[in-house]
């Protein structure tokens, strides 16, 4: 039997996803053993799991190293991988938002300076508003950019808003809600459709998942 | 017939495909290397990307290295709507690779039928597409859709063009949850949203899919036409076919029947094609057209690593070796199907299956 290759995002979200997959009949007990191993197989259930950096899951799936995987909607919007987006797993929920120092006023006569890790999402959003922007691509600690005067606003993922509050920033606009999505390779989906659809159907039975 | 252990090389596949198309009366279309840049700019909506390699020719005209073959074939073929012109090509195109954002030379083999396209011609092209896939591997599948069916369903939603585009994107991603979200936001009625979700997720053998479609779109002329075309295919071909409505890219280019071919182990489609009557019309032609391209560059992945060795047999010789004996040995090895490398010294990190040492004058 052909193994179903599944890329999971390393970390808490990935562990939660694995629990869901296990209860859908796609278990692989060795994954719970402590250690630094990254690839796990269970011939009985026909699955091979591997832990990948969350932002890389879509690449593994698009390039066919994984048949399916779980990636955040933020990554799918940012990189537009050529994959199927089969399910909204409704976990890892947060939102992509614009945040600015409290009391910020957007002066439309000036180019808006935006700090973000998500260059494409930010430029698509401001393009849709017809707003001229200057993007400063940062890889982390985005919150400090407006505090230090590097940019006017930031575009970033907001979960609880605690980091923003502690840095005297506030959400001024929500761009899009984010959650974890089940994605599939377009070719792999055809040759392993039986097991992929079995997983999709089992996961859909859970009330919290929107198919 | 090929299995994953017995895969042809790229060159063998290209040559086999040419023979296949010639056996059905297709003649080779030799293309000019460059076209005027202006030609592609006028038709940029039909190109996969606006990035084109340009240069000035000797009289200052801005020229382009072709990013696409079909446009050139349409432009340079006579427009005879009552006849059928069958051509195939084997050409390089120059496109920007998605991963590296650099230009890449891509080898494409494909065929086009221009003129009077009827149900028979469509079934001939679908059959050749399946046979082309089988040249690559037996583990293959041709997925067929009809953009007329998809367009009719999307038109039922009566929404703005921007939203239609979004709906098509969701169908292309087989994303039921995103479709439901849009339908809810746009107040699209339940039966239409159910139909759109079904089109996104429906796929399978023609019989099963048509049964579902009869319930979803009763009396649809578009479905009847698709059913007629698919049922005209021979059994060998039908076994490799599935119906799938999630192909909605290149909707500017294609209309009517569209298809993509997949081979197990290759992550992207290796064949893409369909009817492009709208494109013909926009280019001022009265003829209809259908065709497909085989993306030879996608096959590279299957061939890499097919051999563990740089060569099967290394034959070592020196100035003391009897050349006649050496030649005889090489001929024997080659006739047994082995790849032979004859050398005086083995380079570093050179990997070989076996070694025959004739350096001392005799075999050791």
């Amino acid at each position: 039997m052909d193994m179903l290759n599944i890329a999971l995002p390393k970390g808490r979200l990935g562990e939660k996803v694995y629990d869901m997959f296990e209860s859908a009949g796609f278990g692989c007990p060795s994954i719970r053993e402590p250690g630094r191993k990254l690839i796990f197989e269970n011939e009985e259930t026909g699955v091979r799991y591997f832990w990948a950096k969350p932002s890389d899951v879509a690449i593994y799936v698009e390039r066919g190293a994984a048949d399916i995987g779980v990636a955040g909607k933020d990554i799918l919007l940012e990189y537009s991988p050529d994959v199927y987006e089969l399910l909204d797993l409704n976990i890892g929920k947060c939102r992509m938002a614009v945040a600015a120092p409290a009391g910020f006023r957007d002066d439309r006569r000036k180019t808006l300076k935006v700090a973000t890790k998500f260059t494409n999402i930010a430029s698509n959003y401001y393009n849709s508003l017809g707003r001229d922007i200057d993007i400063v691509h940062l890889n982390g600690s985005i919150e400090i950019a407006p505090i230090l005067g590097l940019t006017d606003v930031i575009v970033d993922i907001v979960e609880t808003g605690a980091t923003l509050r502690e840095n005297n920033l506030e959400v001024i606009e929500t761009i899009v809600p984010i959650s974890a999505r089940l994605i599939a390779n377009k070719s792999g989906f055809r040759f392993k459709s039986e097991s992929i659809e079995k997983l999709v159907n089992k996961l859909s039975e859970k009330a919290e998942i929107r198919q | 017939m090929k299995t994953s252990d017995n895969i042809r090389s790229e060159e063998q596949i290209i040559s086999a495909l040419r023979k296949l198309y010639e056996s059905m009366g297709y003649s080779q279309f030799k293309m000019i290397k460059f076209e005027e840049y202006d030609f592609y700019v006028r038709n940029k909506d039909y190109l996969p990307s606006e990035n084109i390699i340009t240069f000035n020719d000797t009289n200052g005209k801005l020229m382009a290295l072709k990013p696409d073959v079909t446009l050139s074939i349409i432009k340079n073929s006579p427009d005879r709507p009552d006849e059928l012109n069958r051509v195939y090509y084997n050409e390089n195109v120059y496109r920007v690779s998605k991963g590296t954002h650099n230009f890449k030379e891509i080898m494409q083999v494909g065929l086009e039928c221009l003129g009077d396209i009827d149900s028979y011609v469509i079934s001939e092209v679908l059959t050749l597409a399946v046979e082309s896939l089988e040249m690559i591997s037996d583990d293959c599948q041709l997925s067929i859709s009809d953009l007329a069916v998809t367009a009719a369903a999307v038109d039922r939603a009566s929404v703005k063009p921007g939203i239609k585009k979004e709906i098509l994107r969701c169908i292309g991603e087989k994303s039921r949850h995103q479709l439901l979200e849009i339908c809810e936001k746009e107040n699209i009625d339940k039966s239409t949203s159910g139909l759109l979700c079904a089109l996104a997720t429906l796929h399978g053998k023609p019989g099963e899919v048509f049964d579902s479609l009869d319930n979803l779109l009763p009396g649809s002329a578009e479905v009847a036409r698709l059913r007629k075309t698919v049922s005209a295919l021979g059994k060998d071909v039908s076994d490799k076919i599935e119906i799938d409505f999630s192909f909605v890219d290149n909707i500017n280019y294609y209309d009517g029947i569209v298809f993509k071919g997949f081979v197990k182990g290759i992550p992207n489609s290796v064949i893409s094609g369909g009817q492009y009557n709208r494109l013909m019309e926009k280019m001022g032609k009265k003829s209809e057209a259908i065709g497909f391209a085989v993306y030879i560059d996608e096959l590279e992945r299957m061939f890499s690593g097919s051999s563990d060795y740089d060569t099967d047999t290394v034959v070592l010789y020196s100035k003391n070796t009897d050349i006649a004996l050496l030649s005889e040995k090489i001929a024997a090895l080659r006739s047994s199907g082995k790849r032979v490398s004859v050398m005086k010294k083995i380079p570093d990190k050179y990997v070989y299956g076996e070694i025959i040492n004739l350096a001392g004058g005799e075999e050791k």
Side-chain angles (χ1 to χ4, degrees), chain A residues 2 62-64 73 80 82 84-88 181 185-187 189-191 193 197 210-211, chain B residues 98 141 143 172-178 180-181 203 242 244 246-247 262-264 266-267 301:
Chain A
D2 274 339
E62 184 182 32
R63 299 265 179 154
K73 185 66 183 172
S80 309
D82 189 17
Y84 290 135
E85 185 188 312
L86 301 176
L87 281 179
D88 180 351
R181 311 292 164 104
N185 176 271
K186 290 189 170 180
S187 178
F189 180 81
R190 311 208 122 64
F191 297 101
S193 65
E197 285 185 327
R210 290 177 302 150
Q211 189 196 8
Chain B
K98 198 185 166 197
Q141 192 175 74
S143 299
E173 290 179 6
K174 287 195 174 288
S175 194
R176 194 169 178 265
H177 56 276
Q178 292 188 78
L180 288 174
E181 217 168 85
H203 74 102
E242 75 153 19
D244 186 324
S246 69
F247 305 135
F262 296 89
V263 166
K264 195 173 180 180
I266 298 182
R301 189 181 160 121

Side-chain angles (χ1 to χ4, degrees), chain B residues 111-134:
Chain B
L111 60 82
E112 314 286 350
C113 289
L114 305 129
D116 180 15
I117 307 296
D118 57 18
S119 298
Y120 166 73
V121 178
I122 296 173
S123 72
E124 177 184 298
V125 170
L126 291 174
T127 304
L128 285 170
V130 170
E131 287 174 358
S132 303
L133 283 173
E134 286 175 331

Side-chain angles (χ1 to χ4, degrees), chain B residues 133-146:
Chain B
L133 283 173
E134 286 175 331
M135 293 277 171
I136 302 162
S137 168
D138 280 341
D139 273 334
C140 61
Q141 192 175 74
L142 190 75
S143 299
I144 302 177
S145 173
D146 190 333

Side-chain angles (χ1 to χ4, degrees), chain A residues 4-15:
Chain A
L4 184 66
N5 295 305
I6 306 172
L8 292 181
K10 237 190 280 180
R12 249 182 327 150
L13 177 70
E15 285 162 20

Side-chain angles (χ1 to χ4, degrees), chain B residues 22-252:
Chain B
E22 277 168 11
S23 76
M24 282 298 289
Y26 288 73
S27 54
Q28 188 171 9
F29 191 98
K30 269 308 247 187
M31 219 144 314
I32 42 170
K33 286 267 176 258
F34 326 117
E35 288 276 5
E36 280 184 39
Y37 176 65
D38 187 42
F39 169 62
Y40 293 118
V41 171
R42 276 196 315 259
N43 296 296
K44 66 177 168 38
D45 287 352
Y46 305 109
L47 295 173
S49 143
E50 284 183 33
N51 294 311
I52 298 170
I53 303 177
T54 57
F55 64 97
N56 287 320
D57 77 357
T58 47
N59 55 21
K61 225 181 247 173
L62 191 58
M63 304 296 284
L65 281 170
K66 55 181 183 301
D68 178 88
V69 176
T70 309
L71 284 173
S72 292
I73 293 185
I74 299 174
K75 177 173 160 256
N76 299 313
S77 294
D79 187 21
R80 296 190 189 118
D82 301 329
E83 295 173 15
L84 186 65
N85 182 16
R86 292 178 168 95
V87 294
Y88 78 88
Y89 58 85
N90 174 14
E91 297 283 336
N92 284 321
V93 294
Y94 301 87
R95 291 180 180 174
V96 172
S97 142
K98 198 185 166 197
T100 62
H101 302 289
N102 289 325
F103 278 103
K104 205 176 154 197
E105 186 179 60
I106 298 168
M107 169 62 79
Q108 271 191 15
V109 178
L111 60 82
E112 314 286 350
C113 289
L114 305 129
D116 180 15
I117 307 296
D118 57 18
S119 298
Y120 166 73
V121 178
I122 296 173
S123 72
E124 177 184 298
V125 170
L126 291 174
T127 304
L128 285 170
V130 170
E131 287 174 358
S132 303
L133 283 173
E134 286 175 331
M135 293 277 171
I136 302 162
S137 168
D138 280 341
D139 273 334
C140 61
Q141 192 175 74
L142 190 75
S143 299
I144 302 177
S145 173
D146 190 333
L147 289 177
V149 175
T150 323
V154 175
D155 281 344
R156 273 181 38 177
S158 323
V159 286
K160 284 186 254 165
I163 305 293
K164 269 189 192 169
K165 215 172 145 190
E166 275 296 286
I167 291 175
L168 285 169
R169 182 187 60 77
C170 297
I171 293 176
E173 290 179 6
K174 287 195 174 288
S175 194
R176 194 169 178 265
H177 56 276
Q178 292 188 78
L179 276 169
L180 288 174
E181 217 168 85
I182 294 174
C183 291
E184 203 175 306
K185 210 165 140 198
E186 298 295 322
N187 287 323
I188 294 170
D189 64 273
K190 277 238 155 65
S191 87
T192 307
S193 80
L195 171 63
L196 294 172
C197 290
L199 283 184
T201 50
L202 199 62
H203 74 102
K205 288 282 153 208
E208 301 158 22
V209 173
F210 287 126
D211 287 348
S212 308
L213 280 176
D214 285 341
N215 295 326
L216 288 162
L217 285 164
S220 155
E222 291 88 5
V223 173
R225 194 187 64 156
L226 179 62
R227 187 198 293 261
K228 191 179 155 200
T229 308
V230 172
S231 60
L233 300 168
K235 189 177 176 309
D236 288 354
V237 176
S238 304
D239 286 348
K240 301 285 187 197
I241 276 178
E242 75 153 19
I243 307 290
D244 186 324
F245 291 99
S246 69
F247 305 135
V248 289
D249 45 351
N250 294 327
I251 205 152
N252 282 331

Side-chain angles (χ1 to χ4, degrees), chain A residues 136-147:
Chain A
V136 178
H137 181 91
L138 296 176
N139 293 306
S141 299
I142 317 285
E143 294 82 4
I144 60 172
I147 300 168

